[in-house]
Amino acid sequence: NNLTSLGLMLASISHSIKSVLTGLDAGVYSMEKAFSRSDERQLEEGLELVKRMAERIRKITLDILFYARERELNPVPLDIRQFAEEVVENVQPRFDRRGVRLVCEFEEPLGGFEADPGLLKAAMINLLDNAVDACSAADGRPEARVVFRVQAGPERVGLSVDDTGQGMTPEQLKKLFTLFYSTKGIQGTGLGLFIADKIVRQHGGDIVVESTPGRGSHFCVQLPRRQPAVAPPPAEPDLPPPGPAVMAWGEERA
């Protein structure tokens, strides 16, 4: 029920929030020390830490809002390439800060499709955020890289995300889209991929995942080009025009 879900959500995110607050404290302390010593290098390090923690706060908050708010799909005609470029524009700053290279491969011609831009953009950002986190966690890799590939056929649109991250075990893959499950420990809320999967299914699509420990992961989103038309509400039945009022026996007309 809702109370059980609320309790699970609070338990899931409490450690993540505690970790963020600890990081913020460390960043502020580092900046204070840097100001007192006029140490520009330490100041930059403290500021970078605060930025990363602010980014995590934003991500946690958006995940909670999407989970808590049940929203109906509102599909509109979209240009596929423009949509993909807007997704990249949103995530590129995070890739730059984390030192992960983002490669975009948009196979023309793409054309258009129908989707709810706000919801689907949130789903793709979650997948790309997950990829950059996986790359950042994979220490010792020669190059941290994510490939965002977009393809389109007559009936289906494919958006895939490939990373050179740490990969996942078969056991982790089985639980990947389970509510509140996270492969990131206290770094994750267990909401991001659950929300992404839910949004893709709302669009009549699906997500296929392949992953090998130490060799990265491949996420492929398949969506229909056209959303099914929503049936209009049933019309009111035609009623005969009202006839003369019928009075009860003995009632006097006004």
Side-chain angles (χ1 to χ4, degrees):
N1 56 35
N2 289 338
L3 286 177
T4 302
S5 296
L6 178 61
L8 287 170
M9 182 174 70
L10 291 175
S12 173
I13 68 173
S14 60
H15 292 295
S16 296
I17 293 175
K18 182 179 178 181
S19 173
V20 169
L21 294 176
T22 301
L24 280 175
D25 285 341
V28 171
Y29 176 79
S30 179
M31 291 176 68
E32 288 176 342
K33 286 291 186 181
F35 274 123
S36 64
R37 300 173 182 175
S38 298
D39 187 338
E40 291 189 7
R41 180 179 177 182
Q42 187 179 5
L43 179 60
E44 289 179 0
E45 291 175 353
L47 180 59
E48 182 61 29
L49 180 56
V50 169
K51 284 181 178 179
R52 288 205 307 270
M53 294 304 105
E55 182 179 275
R56 284 185 58 192
I57 290 173
R58 170 187 168 277
K59 180 71 168 56
I60 290 171
T61 303
L62 289 177
D63 282 349
I64 293 171
L65 287 174
F66 269 104
Y67 171 68
R69 180 181 59 190
E70 195 70 31
R71 176 178 155 184
E72 291 185 5
L73 206 65
N74 183 28
V76 296
L78 298 171
D79 180 82
I80 298 174
R81 185 181 183 91
Q82 183 179 346
F83 170 81
E85 289 175 346
E86 289 175 0
V87 170
V88 171
E89 185 180 349
N90 273 270
V91 300
Q92 188 68 64
R94 187 175 188 200
F95 275 77
D96 293 340
R97 285 195 295 270
R98 303 288 286 274
V100 178
R101 188 159 73 97
L102 177 59
V103 179
C104 298
E105 297 181 357
F106 302 157
E107 298 187 7
E108 298 290 354
L110 291 172
F113 74 140
E114 294 176 355
D116 185 312
L119 286 180
L120 189 58
K121 191 180 296 182
M124 295 310 303
I125 289 173
N126 271 338
L127 292 180
L128 287 162
D129 279 347
N130 181 73
V132 76
D133 286 340
C135 287
S136 300
D139 297 328
R141 306 304 295 273
E143 181 191 28
R145 179 170 59 95
V146 173
V147 178
F148 179 34
R149 185 176 293 107
V150 183
Q151 302 167 297
E155 302 294 333
R156 307 280 284 178
V157 176
L159 304 100
S160 64
V161 177
D162 293 83
D163 66 64
T164 59
Q166 58 187 351
M168 290 174 284
T169 65
E171 291 74 21
Q172 289 173 321
L173 280 174
K174 290 177 184 177
K175 304 176 183 177
L176 193 59
F177 297 116
T178 304
L179 182 60
F180 305 129
Y181 174 77
S182 175
T183 60
K184 306 172 191 174
I186 63 173
Q187 303 297 320
T189 62
L191 286 172
L193 291 180
F194 171 83
I195 289 169
D197 183 58
K198 181 179 179 180
I199 291 172
V200 169
R201 291 184 185 279
Q202 273 187 281
H203 282 81
D206 54 53
I207 305 178
V208 176
V209 187
E210 298 173 359
S211 187
T212 304
R215 298 181 62 181
S217 301
H218 167 76
F219 287 73
C220 183
V221 175
Q222 292 282 337
L223 298 165
R225 271 194 187 266
R226 300 286 176 261
Q227 292 295 311
V230 179
E236 292 292 332
D238 292 332
L239 298 176
V246 178
M247 295 184 294
W249 178 257
E251 182 179 355
E252 295 184 358
R253 192 181 297 271

